[in-house]
Amino acid sequence: MQVKESIIGAMTALITPFKNGKLDLETYESLIQRQINYDIDAIVPVGTTGESATLSHKEHKECIEVALGVAKKNRQEGKNIKVLAGAGSNSTQEAMDLAKFAEISGADGILCVTPYYNKPTQEGLYQHYKSVAEAISIPLMLYNVPSRTGVSLENATIRQLFRDVKNIYGIKEAGGNLEKIIDLNVQEKDLVIVSGDDALNYPILCCGGKGVISVTSNLLPNKIAALTHNVLNDLDYPKAYVLNNELYKINKALFIESNPIPIKAAMYLSGLLKALEYRLPLIPPSTENLKLLEQILTQYEVVK
């Protein structure tokens, strides 16, 4: 099978900053530029880490436009940054609308999470993704995160989508099952698999993964970029292994409460966010967990 057009490498699942209940687009721009400055290959605006479930469609589209604007400016300066726009919903029609907007606006591809709450069958998932992908011509990456959506995209369905739909090129896998990933890699060697679980970035890359979509890289883009590039570009597994071990504590701490609660708190504590705001029903972390994050952050240098 011919390898499809793909977006790979070190990618960041961007948080969405708020100020007084509204989008803080000025901070958003600066956070995106920081990612690019520290060698991230692609940015992923308004995925689930970006609190997309509680953004209005207008806000969702604004975030995509801002990300594309920063990317365009950097491309003019010779930096090859990609934008993989979040375009997921539990409504197929809404996901299609967001995907079409992303394409028209100039996104390089879209990331589409499995529909949440509905708990569709595998055939329902197949039809959902086929419909979204066929509504656009840019690459589409599947996103499986059963702990958050209540449904798992099975390997047989993933393989069928990859074979049947020309612009479905890969999957962000966040199910925590390495055997599932190995099976996919063996059965469908041209399918692009990326890690959606920072704790498993290194083993997934070692098992044939072509990149990561990281939460931790919001805080430590230089470290996540180095780990990913050490494996993919340099085949320097020992150096990547050392980085993986170094990141273990922060990777674990960033999931002590529901994502993106801890990552936004860590960024606030590190001076990357001016305000610590979430959209209800998400709220700030407990006092105990905030202190734990503060303690763990003393072990890391957060570059500005």
Side-chain angles (χ1 to χ4, degrees):
M1 180 181 288
Q2 184 179 0
V3 177
K4 304 181 184 185
E5 182 183 357
S6 60
I7 301 161
I8 62 174
M11 299 175 269
T12 300
L14 296 167
I15 62 101
T16 301
F18 301 116
K19 185 177 180 180
N20 299 322
K22 298 181 180 180
L23 296 177
D24 183 354
L25 297 180
E26 182 180 351
T27 298
Y28 198 48
E29 284 188 20
S30 67
L31 292 176
I32 293 170
Q33 185 60 53
R34 176 174 172 266
Q35 293 295 314
I36 299 169
N37 291 346
Y38 288 104
D39 298 325
I40 289 297
D41 300 303
I43 49 174
V44 186
V46 282
T48 48
T49 300
E51 296 177 76
S52 56
T54 50
L55 297 181
S56 70
H57 279 200
K58 180 178 181 293
E59 290 173 324
H60 191 118
K61 292 174 180 179
E62 279 184 285
C63 287
I64 291 174
E65 287 176 329
V66 168
L68 288 168
V70 178
K72 182 178 180 181
K73 179 182 176 182
N74 279 270
R75 286 169 183 165
Q76 291 170 345
E77 298 172 358
K79 297 177 182 176
N80 187 29
I81 183 69
K82 302 289 187 182
V83 177
L84 186 66
S89 174
N90 60 344
S91 162
T92 303
Q93 289 298 322
E94 288 182 4
M96 290 168 64
D97 175 67
L98 293 171
K100 289 176 184 177
F101 177 84
E103 178 175 35
I104 292 168
S105 301
D108 299 286
I110 68 161
L111 176 69
C112 192
V113 70
T114 52
Y116 41 88
Y117 186 78
N118 299 333
K119 296 188 76 172
T121 63
Q122 292 301 303
E123 179 62 23
L125 290 170
Y126 175 88
Q127 295 296 340
H128 170 83
Y129 277 118
K130 187 171 185 287
S131 297
V132 176
E134 289 182 345
I136 56 175
S137 59
I138 56 176
L140 182 150
M141 177 175 283
L142 310 168
Y143 178 15
N144 187 45
V145 56
S147 65
R148 298 295 293 260
T149 63
V151 65
S152 183
L153 194 57
E154 294 178 2
N155 282 7
T157 309
I158 296 165
R159 293 197 302 269
Q160 198 64 49
L161 282 164
F162 179 70
R163 293 169 183 170
D164 292 352
V165 188
K166 64 180 181 180
N167 55 330
I168 291 179
Y169 78 96
I171 182 163
K172 174 186 176 183
E173 181 56 56
N177 186 339
L178 275 176
E179 185 178 355
K180 183 178 193 290
I181 290 165
I182 294 167
D183 176 74
L184 270 178
N185 190 51
V186 169
Q187 299 293 332
E188 206 67 62
K189 64 181 180 64
D190 291 328
L191 176 75
V192 169
I193 303 168
V194 304
S195 171
D197 184 344
D198 279 304
L200 295 178
N201 284 345
Y202 177 71
I204 289 174
L205 289 169
C206 290
C207 290
K210 298 300 182 186
V212 307
I213 296 180
S214 172
V215 172
T216 301
S217 57
N218 281 282
L219 186 69
L220 299 167
N222 53 325
K223 297 290 187 182
I224 294 295
L227 189 159
T228 306
H229 297 155
N230 280 336
V231 175
L232 297 183
N233 301 344
D234 304 328
L235 301 181
D236 194 338
Y237 292 92
K239 191 177 287 186
Y241 174 76
V242 170
L243 275 169
N244 181 72
N245 288 350
E246 179 186 331
L247 290 167
Y248 173 74
K249 288 184 179 179
I250 191 67
N251 285 340
K252 186 175 180 180
L254 291 179
F255 289 88
I256 52 175
E257 293 189 23
S258 297
N259 180 50
I261 292 173
I263 183 60
K264 291 185 89 170
M267 293 172 75
Y268 175 73
L269 291 169
S270 301
L272 296 171
L273 289 177
K274 298 173 186 176
L276 183 56
E277 289 191 29
Y278 306 85
R279 281 278 170 87
L280 284 171
L282 297 185
I283 61 172
S286 67
T287 301
E288 180 183 358
N289 283 335
L290 199 62
K291 287 180 179 177
L292 177 61
L293 281 169
E294 195 168 14
Q295 178 188 357
I296 290 173
L297 282 170
T298 63
Q299 302 172 47
Y300 296 89
E301 180 185 0
V302 178
V303 293
K304 300 296 173 69

